[in-house]
Amino acid sequence: VELMIVVAIIGILAAIAVPNYLQYTRRAHRAEAKTALLNDAQFLERNFTETNLYNKNSVGAAITVASLPYQKSPANGAAVYNIGLAVTAGTYTLTATAVAGGPMDGQTCNTLGINNVGQRSAGSDDVAYCWQK
């Protein structure tokens, strides 16, 4: 009987702890992706200050995803989000898309974005929720 009580208590604790842990790790992955997007946006804005163009650097070479400081999130280890870039001379849109089969695939906030005017997006999810938590 005592053993069954201990097993029941462990089951209750696990039922509470596991979902909270998963929510915490998803929020941490989103935070890393947002940081990568904002750092890439700063890179593009600094480039625009120097060249008055988003799509070319100071030596005239094209700006691509490979030019960005962050092409994935997190920067080290297995990617959870991949960073994408759509750029013209006067505009850009950065997107972080969850890697298929990764921890954020199929979850809320699996696509995040920001453009040259600072407008944030979250695919079909609530922008305020995805960018604030």
Side-chain angles (χ1 to χ4, degrees):
V1 173
E2 291 174 0
L3 182 62
M4 293 304 292
I5 291 172
V6 170
V7 169
I9 291 172
I10 290 173
I12 291 169
L13 290 175
I16 294 169
V18 170
N20 286 338
Y21 173 75
L22 292 175
Q23 182 181 15
Y24 171 78
T25 57
R26 289 181 188 124
R27 200 168 58 225
H29 289 311
R30 276 198 311 269
E32 288 177 328
K34 290 184 289 188
T35 299
L37 287 174
L38 293 172
N39 283 331
D40 286 344
Q42 286 179 341
F43 168 80
L44 291 167
E45 293 298 337
R46 282 192 305 271
N47 183 71
F48 187 81
T49 301
E50 293 175 8
T51 64
N52 207 27
L53 297 168
Y54 287 118
N55 62 345
K56 296 199 185 278
N57 64 17
S58 59
V59 295
I63 300 287
T64 64
V65 172
S67 309
L68 298 174
Y70 294 90
Q71 293 98 35
K72 66 181 183 96
S73 172
N76 299 319
V80 176
Y81 284 91
N82 285 321
I83 307 295
L85 172 66
V87 65
T88 66
T91 64
Y92 68 83
T93 301
L94 289 162
T95 56
T97 307
V99 173
M104 294 302 290
D105 186 30
Q107 301 297 322
T108 303
C109 306
N110 62 356
T111 302
L112 302 169
I114 191 165
N115 65 17
N116 60 295
V117 295
Q119 184 179 23
R120 297 172 178 179
S121 64
S124 61
D125 298 315
D126 180 34
V127 175
Y129 174 79
C130 291
W131 277 88
Q132 296 304 320
K133 290 188 174 189

